[in-house]
Amino acid sequence: MTFDAITIRALAIFASASIASATASAASVSCESLATLALTDTTITIAATVPAGTFDPPGPTPPVDTAACRVAGSIKPTSDSNIQFEVWMPLSGWNGKFLSAGEGGYAGSINYGGIADALRRGYAGGSTDTGHVGGTADFAPGHPEKVVDFGWRAKHLQAARSKDIITAFYGAPIQHSYFSSCSNGGRQALMEVQRFPEDYDGVLVGAPANDWTHLFAGFVWNEQALFETTGAYVSASKLAAVQAATLATCDALDGVVDGVVEDPRKCSFDPATLACPAGTDGASCLTPPQITAVQKIMAGPSNPRTGAHIFPGYFTSAAGAPGSWPLWITGPAVPGASVQAFFGNAFFGRIVDEIPAPGVWDYTSLDFDADIAFTDAKEAATFNATNPDLSAFRQRNRQGRIIMWHGWEDPAISALSSINYFEQMANANPGNRSFFRLFMAPGMTHCGGGPGPNAFGQSLAQARPLNHDPENDILSALERWVEQGVPPERVVAVKYVNDNPALGILRTRPLCAYPKTAVYVGSGSTDDAANFDCRQPNNGRND
Ligand SMILES: [Ca+2]
């Protein structure tokens, strides 16, 4: 045993956590020796040193550029389970911490991009396929245990085994564990907090799909709105007109004409103002069935018998942007082709109704009364992470901290869903401001993108290069909150020219801890975050 290793062991036992964190940065055993680690229900399949730049993940993800020990394994909590997971540990410069990635959509593959991001920040990083292969719901019919693995079990077991492996490799305790992800990954983060409050010290929750059954009902609601009535489909050119008309009505309400609506709840845009002259059609006007379709999408689904709202609708100030409504909501001019319709049809067809063959389920069959009740009774306990009682996470030995963020113009998961959950949580958790904060991003679409400032370190790809400043990097802000007790009041977001960091910064703007919003102070450039304050809205809660 080297002097360094002895020092590490001694510090782990006797010294403060912060000193150990700074010192325990190198391995205490060989990477390859981890192949024989005995872990519950787990088989280690790979334990190998990976030199920087030599592992090229499938798809567009670039090679992992940090030298690391790669451990892969399979966890089988049931006879039908096969949860593949990986944990990668930097060979040098470990920051003493674990950062789990999440997996978007229907998951089904290891998130190597998220692992690479964690390694670049000095973390041990991990991910799981959540128990099935491929980003569809094809795994589900006849495999209820695999559905549970995807719903919540895999992420917990991945966290537990990853911690076991990291501790064995470095021979030192993990100082802090974090989770950062978006969309289904945001749902995973809230699920972990609600079911397994000891798994993470801090979670970064992006645009969560946490009200899963109702969100997916909304996907089919939009499909019906666009395709059940002849001529209701809304083309991309018409959506560009909807966006322009929305901005003409509402852009200036926040005091700055910048193509972004700071709080779209204050914008009352009526698509009927774009009506084509009676009996005509055109590229930038709406026919009566199209007006009805846009109104339905803006309203969101409701129960036809009781009128009860099922899920919030969508805003329109970025409706024409390429990655916005045309991708997620309207899609090509056939049913089942938008991203929402793909996800919605697969959920109700393959998971709820367990139809053995894909593509059979009829989207027109969904009834927003009995079918939603049936779906909730069968699936909500597995998929929904909507429990507002976070007292176990808030009151754990080391108080847990949550930062949630959401793009106001999200075309996949309505931003109002996160606000609804935040308000429910606030009512259920007195003192919530001490452990849970929400940051809304005006003009941002799903997990990034859109006309608003949309890069604030929510993933390393959406951070300023090599910048780990908690003032403009939201993961660093979470670390500072957990480790130093400094709550985040604002995080400066960047809008790059054409969303390309290589082309330079167009604008910076603070994202404010909800319900505060960014207000222009009245002098200086409106492209500079320094000229904005975070202020309480006149009618907002003052906490
Ligand atoms: Ca504006």
PDB file of all heavy atoms in Angstrom, residues 298-326:
ATOM      1  N   MET A 298     -54.119  24.284 -27.102  1.00  0.00           N
ATOM      2  CA  MET A 298     -53.808  25.290 -26.080  1.00  0.00           C
ATOM      3  C   MET A 298     -54.509  24.991 -24.755  1.00  0.00           C
ATOM      4  O   MET A 298     -53.998  25.341 -23.689  1.00  0.00           O
ATOM      5  CB  MET A 298     -54.206  26.685 -26.576  1.00  0.00           C
ATOM      6  CG  MET A 298     -53.365  27.195 -27.740  1.00  0.00           C
ATOM      7  SD  MET A 298     -53.989  28.761 -28.422  1.00  0.00           S
ATOM      8  CE  MET A 298     -53.619  29.896 -27.067  1.00  0.00           C
ATOM      9  N   ALA A 299     -55.670  24.342 -24.822  1.00  0.00           N
ATOM     10  CA  ALA A 299     -56.451  24.087 -23.606  1.00  0.00           C
ATOM     11  C   ALA A 299     -56.001  22.824 -22.877  1.00  0.00           C
ATOM     12  O   ALA A 299     -56.052  22.751 -21.649  1.00  0.00           O
ATOM     13  CB  ALA A 299     -57.935  23.969 -23.959  1.00  0.00           C
ATOM     14  N   GLY A 300     -55.577  21.799 -23.635  1.00  0.00           N
ATOM     15  CA  GLY A 300     -55.239  20.519 -23.029  1.00  0.00           C
ATOM     16  C   GLY A 300     -56.480  19.682 -22.801  1.00  0.00           C
ATOM     17  O   GLY A 300     -57.615  20.174 -22.869  1.00  0.00           O
ATOM     18  N   PRO A 301     -56.274  18.392 -22.504  1.00  0.00           N
ATOM     19  CA  PRO A 301     -57.402  17.473 -22.409  1.00  0.00           C
ATOM     20  C   PRO A 301     -58.249  17.705 -21.161  1.00  0.00           C
ATOM     21  O   PRO A 301     -57.751  18.096 -20.114  1.00  0.00           O
ATOM     22  CB  PRO A 301     -56.721  16.094 -22.344  1.00  0.00           C
ATOM     23  CG  PRO A 301     -55.380  16.372 -21.765  1.00  0.00           C
ATOM     24  CD  PRO A 301     -54.983  17.722 -22.281  1.00  0.00           C
ATOM     25  N   SER A 302     -59.534  17.430 -21.314  1.00  0.00           N
ATOM     26  CA  SER A 302     -60.435  17.461 -20.164  1.00  0.00           C
ATOM     27  C   SER A 302     -61.449  16.334 -20.312  1.00  0.00           C
ATOM     28  O   SER A 302     -61.648  15.795 -21.396  1.00  0.00           O
ATOM     29  CB  SER A 302     -61.140  18.817 -20.057  1.00  0.00           C
ATOM     30  OG  SER A 302     -61.806  19.122 -21.265  1.00  0.00           O
ATOM     31  N   ASN A 303     -62.055  15.996 -19.202  1.00  0.00           N
ATOM     32  CA  ASN A 303     -63.035  14.914 -19.155  1.00  0.00           C
ATOM     33  C   ASN A 303     -64.343  15.423 -19.766  1.00  0.00           C
ATOM     34  O   ASN A 303     -64.896  16.417 -19.295  1.00  0.00           O
ATOM     35  CB  ASN A 303     -63.243  14.492 -17.692  1.00  0.00           C
ATOM     36  CG  ASN A 303     -64.183  13.321 -17.545  1.00  0.00           C
ATOM     37  OD1 ASN A 303     -65.251  13.293 -18.146  1.00  0.00           O
ATOM     38  ND2 ASN A 303     -63.788  12.350 -16.731  1.00  0.00           N
ATOM     39  N   PRO A 304     -64.846  14.765 -20.821  1.00  0.00           N
ATOM     40  CA  PRO A 304     -66.041  15.282 -21.507  1.00  0.00           C
ATOM     41  C   PRO A 304     -67.294  15.215 -20.644  1.00  0.00           C
ATOM     42  O   PRO A 304     -68.258  15.930 -20.905  1.00  0.00           O
ATOM     43  CB  PRO A 304     -66.170  14.357 -22.730  1.00  0.00           C
ATOM     44  CG  PRO A 304     -65.476  13.098 -22.332  1.00  0.00           C
ATOM     45  CD  PRO A 304     -64.368  13.522 -21.418  1.00  0.00           C
ATOM     46  N   ARG A 305     -67.280  14.357 -19.622  1.00  0.00           N
ATOM     47  CA  ARG A 305     -68.465  14.215 -18.774  1.00  0.00           C
ATOM     48  C   ARG A 305     -68.454  15.195 -17.621  1.00  0.00           C
ATOM     49  O   ARG A 305     -69.443  15.870 -17.341  1.00  0.00           O
ATOM     50  CB  ARG A 305     -68.537  12.777 -18.230  1.00  0.00           C
ATOM     51  CG  ARG A 305     -69.712  12.500 -17.298  1.00  0.00           C
ATOM     52  CD  ARG A 305     -69.758  11.019 -16.897  1.00  0.00           C
ATOM     53  NE  ARG A 305     -68.500  10.582 -16.295  1.00  0.00           N
ATOM     54  CZ  ARG A 305     -68.198  10.709 -14.999  1.00  0.00           C
ATOM     55  NH1 ARG A 305     -69.067  11.249 -14.178  1.00  0.00           N
ATOM     56  NH2 ARG A 305     -67.030  10.317 -14.526  1.00  0.00           N
ATOM     57  N   THR A 306     -67.298  15.314 -16.955  1.00  0.00           N
ATOM     58  CA  THR A 306     -67.225  16.160 -15.760  1.00  0.00           C
ATOM     59  C   THR A 306     -66.628  17.536 -16.036  1.00  0.00           C
ATOM     60  O   THR A 306     -66.771  18.448 -15.220  1.00  0.00           O
ATOM     61  CB  THR A 306     -66.337  15.490 -14.697  1.00  0.00           C
ATOM     62  OG1 THR A 306     -64.990  15.456 -15.195  1.00  0.00           O
ATOM     63  CG2 THR A 306     -66.811  14.071 -14.399  1.00  0.00           C
ATOM     64  N   GLY A 307     -65.917  17.673 -17.158  1.00  0.00           N
ATOM     65  CA  GLY A 307     -65.232  18.919 -17.442  1.00  0.00           C
ATOM     66  C   GLY A 307     -63.904  19.055 -16.725  1.00  0.00           C
ATOM     67  O   GLY A 307     -63.191  20.046 -16.902  1.00  0.00           O
ATOM     68  N   ALA A 308     -63.546  18.064 -15.897  1.00  0.00           N
ATOM     69  CA  ALA A 308     -62.288  18.151 -15.137  1.00  0.00           C
ATOM     70  C   ALA A 308     -61.085  18.194 -16.086  1.00  0.00           C
ATOM     71  O   ALA A 308     -61.009  17.427 -17.047  1.00  0.00           O
ATOM     72  CB  ALA A 308     -62.169  16.958 -14.195  1.00  0.00           C
ATOM     73  N   HIS A 309     -60.170  19.105 -15.773  1.00  0.00           N
ATOM     74  CA  HIS A 309     -58.969  19.250 -16.586  1.00  0.00           C
ATOM     75  C   HIS A 309     -58.040  18.061 -16.308  1.00  0.00           C
ATOM     76  O   HIS A 309     -57.804  17.706 -15.157  1.00  0.00           O
ATOM     77  CB  HIS A 309     -58.288  20.562 -16.215  1.00  0.00           C
ATOM     78  CG  HIS A 309     -57.490  21.156 -17.323  1.00  0.00           C
ATOM     79  ND1 HIS A 309     -56.523  22.110 -17.115  1.00  0.00           N
ATOM     80  CD2 HIS A 309     -57.503  20.945 -18.666  1.00  0.00           C
ATOM     81  CE1 HIS A 309     -55.986  22.454 -18.268  1.00  0.00           C
ATOM     82  NE2 HIS A 309     -56.565  21.764 -19.224  1.00  0.00           N
ATOM     83  N   ILE A 310     -57.482  17.456 -17.366  1.00  0.00           N
ATOM     84  CA  ILE A 310     -56.625  16.279 -17.196  1.00  0.00           C
ATOM     85  C   ILE A 310     -55.153  16.655 -17.235  1.00  0.00           C
ATOM     86  O   ILE A 310     -54.347  16.158 -16.444  1.00  0.00           O
ATOM     87  CB  ILE A 310     -56.951  15.227 -18.282  1.00  0.00           C
ATOM     88  CG1 ILE A 310     -58.380  14.720 -18.093  1.00  0.00           C
ATOM     89  CG2 ILE A 310     -55.940  14.084 -18.268  1.00  0.00           C
ATOM     90  CD1 ILE A 310     -58.897  13.881 -19.252  1.00  0.00           C
ATOM     91  N   PHE A 311     -54.775  17.562 -18.132  1.00  0.00           N
ATOM     92  CA  PHE A 311     -53.377  17.998 -18.259  1.00  0.00           C
ATOM     93  C   PHE A 311     -53.381  19.368 -18.939  1.00  0.00           C
ATOM     94  O   PHE A 311     -54.209  19.628 -19.802  1.00  0.00           O
ATOM     95  CB  PHE A 311     -52.570  16.991 -19.096  1.00  0.00           C
ATOM     96  CG  PHE A 311     -51.079  17.149 -18.951  1.00  0.00           C
ATOM     97  CD1 PHE A 311     -50.421  16.671 -17.822  1.00  0.00           C
ATOM     98  CD2 PHE A 311     -50.334  17.801 -19.933  1.00  0.00           C
ATOM     99  CE1 PHE A 311     -49.049  16.837 -17.674  1.00  0.00           C
ATOM    100  CE2 PHE A 311     -48.964  17.958 -19.785  1.00  0.00           C
ATOM    101  CZ  PHE A 311     -48.326  17.470 -18.657  1.00  0.00           C
ATOM    102  N   PRO A 312     -52.421  20.239 -18.545  1.00  0.00           N
ATOM    103  CA  PRO A 312     -52.418  21.574 -19.144  1.00  0.00           C
ATOM    104  C   PRO A 312     -52.019  21.562 -20.622  1.00  0.00           C
ATOM    105  O   PRO A 312     -51.354  20.643 -21.099  1.00  0.00           O
ATOM    106  CB  PRO A 312     -51.391  22.343 -18.297  1.00  0.00           C
ATOM    107  CG  PRO A 312     -50.637  21.342 -17.517  1.00  0.00           C
ATOM    108  CD  PRO A 312     -51.442  20.090 -17.468  1.00  0.00           C
ATOM    109  N   GLY A 313     -52.424  22.610 -21.319  1.00  0.00           N
ATOM    110  CA  GLY A 313     -52.126  22.740 -22.742  1.00  0.00           C
ATOM    111  C   GLY A 313     -50.822  23.480 -23.002  1.00  0.00           C
ATOM    112  O   GLY A 313     -50.006  23.684 -22.099  1.00  0.00           O
ATOM    113  N   TYR A 314     -50.664  23.900 -24.256  1.00  0.00           N
ATOM    114  CA  TYR A 314     -49.370  24.400 -24.734  1.00  0.00           C
ATOM    115  C   TYR A 314     -49.457  25.867 -25.143  1.00  0.00           C
ATOM    116  O   TYR A 314     -50.490  26.330 -25.605  1.00  0.00           O
ATOM    117  CB  TYR A 314     -48.913  23.541 -25.914  1.00  0.00           C
ATOM    118  CG  TYR A 314     -48.623  22.125 -25.465  1.00  0.00           C
ATOM    119  CD1 TYR A 314     -49.644  21.173 -25.403  1.00  0.00           C
ATOM    120  CD2 TYR A 314     -47.360  21.752 -25.044  1.00  0.00           C
ATOM    121  CE1 TYR A 314     -49.400  19.888 -24.952  1.00  0.00           C
ATOM    122  CE2 TYR A 314     -47.106  20.462 -24.588  1.00  0.00           C
ATOM    123  CZ  TYR A 314     -48.127  19.533 -24.544  1.00  0.00           C
ATOM    124  OH  TYR A 314     -47.884  18.276 -24.086  1.00  0.00           O
ATOM    125  N   PHE A 315     -48.330  26.575 -24.973  1.00  0.00           N
ATOM    126  CA  PHE A 315     -48.250  27.978 -25.364  1.00  0.00           C
ATOM    127  C   PHE A 315     -47.794  28.104 -26.814  1.00  0.00           C
ATOM    128  O   PHE A 315     -47.278  27.146 -27.401  1.00  0.00           O
ATOM    129  CB  PHE A 315     -47.316  28.726 -24.419  1.00  0.00           C
ATOM    130  CG  PHE A 315     -47.816  28.768 -23.000  1.00  0.00           C
ATOM    131  CD1 PHE A 315     -47.138  28.114 -21.978  1.00  0.00           C
ATOM    132  CD2 PHE A 315     -48.987  29.446 -22.691  1.00  0.00           C
ATOM    133  CE1 PHE A 315     -47.612  28.141 -20.680  1.00  0.00           C
ATOM    134  CE2 PHE A 315     -49.468  29.477 -21.386  1.00  0.00           C
ATOM    135  CZ  PHE A 315     -48.770  28.825 -20.381  1.00  0.00           C
ATOM    136  N   THR A 316     -47.942  29.321 -27.362  1.00  0.00           N
ATOM    137  CA  THR A 316     -47.802  29.483 -28.817  1.00  0.00           C
ATOM    138  C   THR A 316     -46.718  30.454 -29.248  1.00  0.00           C
ATOM    139  O   THR A 316     -46.528  30.657 -30.437  1.00  0.00           O
ATOM    140  CB  THR A 316     -49.140  29.976 -29.412  1.00  0.00           C
ATOM    141  OG1 THR A 316     -49.539  31.174 -28.735  1.00  0.00           O
ATOM    142  CG2 THR A 316     -50.231  28.919 -29.270  1.00  0.00           C
ATOM    143  N   SER A 317     -45.960  31.064 -28.316  1.00  0.00           N
ATOM    144  CA  SER A 317     -45.026  32.097 -28.759  1.00  0.00           C
ATOM    145  C   SER A 317     -43.790  31.521 -29.448  1.00  0.00           C
ATOM    146  O   SER A 317     -42.997  32.274 -30.022  1.00  0.00           O
ATOM    147  CB  SER A 317     -44.612  32.997 -27.586  1.00  0.00           C
ATOM    148  OG  SER A 317     -43.533  32.454 -26.868  1.00  0.00           O
ATOM    149  N   ALA A 318     -43.610  30.181 -29.402  1.00  0.00           N
ATOM    150  CA  ALA A 318     -42.542  29.545 -30.178  1.00  0.00           C
ATOM    151  C   ALA A 318     -43.113  28.418 -31.040  1.00  0.00           C
ATOM    152  O   ALA A 318     -42.391  27.524 -31.465  1.00  0.00           O
ATOM    153  CB  ALA A 318     -41.446  29.007 -29.257  1.00  0.00           C
ATOM    154  N   ALA A 319     -44.420  28.479 -31.318  1.00  0.00           N
ATOM    155  CA  ALA A 319     -45.101  27.348 -31.962  1.00  0.00           C
ATOM    156  C   ALA A 319     -44.521  27.012 -33.333  1.00  0.00           C
ATOM    157  O   ALA A 319     -44.586  25.866 -33.766  1.00  0.00           O
ATOM    158  CB  ALA A 319     -46.601  27.643 -32.085  1.00  0.00           C
ATOM    159  N   GLY A 320     -43.965  28.009 -34.030  1.00  0.00           N
ATOM    160  CA  GLY A 320     -43.474  27.744 -35.383  1.00  0.00           C
ATOM    161  C   GLY A 320     -42.028  27.332 -35.457  1.00  0.00           C
ATOM    162  O   GLY A 320     -41.528  27.001 -36.540  1.00  0.00           O
ATOM    163  N   ALA A 321     -41.323  27.350 -34.333  1.00  0.00           N
ATOM    164  CA  ALA A 321     -39.889  27.009 -34.352  1.00  0.00           C
ATOM    165  C   ALA A 321     -39.721  25.548 -34.779  1.00  0.00           C
ATOM    166  O   ALA A 321     -40.548  24.699 -34.446  1.00  0.00           O
ATOM    167  CB  ALA A 321     -39.274  27.251 -32.981  1.00  0.00           C
ATOM    168  N   PRO A 322     -38.645  25.244 -35.508  1.00  0.00           N
ATOM    169  CA  PRO A 322     -38.504  23.903 -36.099  1.00  0.00           C
ATOM    170  C   PRO A 322     -38.573  22.754 -35.090  1.00  0.00           C
ATOM    171  O   PRO A 322     -39.168  21.727 -35.379  1.00  0.00           O
ATOM    172  CB  PRO A 322     -37.120  23.971 -36.757  1.00  0.00           C
ATOM    173  CG  PRO A 322     -36.890  25.419 -37.012  1.00  0.00           C
ATOM    174  CD  PRO A 322     -37.571  26.155 -35.900  1.00  0.00           C
ATOM    175  N   GLY A 323     -37.984  22.888 -33.906  1.00  0.00           N
ATOM    176  CA  GLY A 323     -38.021  21.803 -32.927  1.00  0.00           C
ATOM    177  C   GLY A 323     -39.209  21.892 -31.994  1.00  0.00           C
ATOM    178  O   GLY A 323     -39.272  21.178 -30.997  1.00  0.00           O
ATOM    179  N   SER A 324     -40.151  22.762 -32.336  1.00  0.00           N
ATOM    180  CA  SER A 324     -41.280  22.999 -31.436  1.00  0.00           C
ATOM    181  C   SER A 324     -42.518  22.227 -31.899  1.00  0.00           C
ATOM    182  O   SER A 324     -42.444  21.024 -32.127  1.00  0.00           O
ATOM    183  CB  SER A 324     -41.511  24.512 -31.356  1.00  0.00           C
ATOM    184  OG  SER A 324     -42.492  24.822 -30.385  1.00  0.00           O
ATOM    185  N   TRP A 325     -43.653  22.910 -32.072  1.00  0.00           N
ATOM    186  CA  TRP A 325     -44.888  22.215 -32.461  1.00  0.00           C
ATOM    187  C   TRP A 325     -44.714  21.349 -33.720  1.00  0.00           C
ATOM    188  O   TRP A 325     -45.251  20.244 -33.767  1.00  0.00           O
ATOM    189  CB  TRP A 325     -46.024  23.227 -32.686  1.00  0.00           C
ATOM    190  CG  TRP A 325     -46.619  23.815 -31.436  1.00  0.00           C
ATOM    191  CD1 TRP A 325     -45.971  24.180 -30.280  1.00  0.00           C
ATOM    192  CD2 TRP A 325     -47.995  24.130 -31.235  1.00  0.00           C
ATOM    193  NE1 TRP A 325     -46.866  24.711 -29.376  1.00  0.00           N
ATOM    194  CE2 TRP A 325     -48.117  24.702 -29.947  1.00  0.00           C
ATOM    195  CE3 TRP A 325     -49.147  24.016 -32.017  1.00  0.00           C
ATOM    196  CZ2 TRP A 325     -49.340  25.131 -29.420  1.00  0.00           C
ATOM    197  CZ3 TRP A 325     -50.371  24.450 -31.513  1.00  0.00           C
ATOM    198  CH2 TRP A 325     -50.463  24.997 -30.220  1.00  0.00           C
ATOM    199  N   PRO A 326     -44.000  21.847 -34.756  1.00  0.00           N
ATOM    200  CA  PRO A 326     -43.915  21.009 -35.974  1.00  0.00           C
ATOM    201  C   PRO A 326     -43.269  19.650 -35.733  1.00  0.00           C
ATOM    202  O   PRO A 326     -43.546  18.701 -36.456  1.00  0.00           O
ATOM    203  CB  PRO A 326     -43.057  21.864 -36.920  1.00  0.00           C
ATOM    204  CG  PRO A 326     -43.280  23.265 -36.459  1.00  0.00           C
ATOM    205  CD  PRO A 326     -43.387  23.165 -34.957  1.00  0.00           C
TER     206      PRO A 326
END
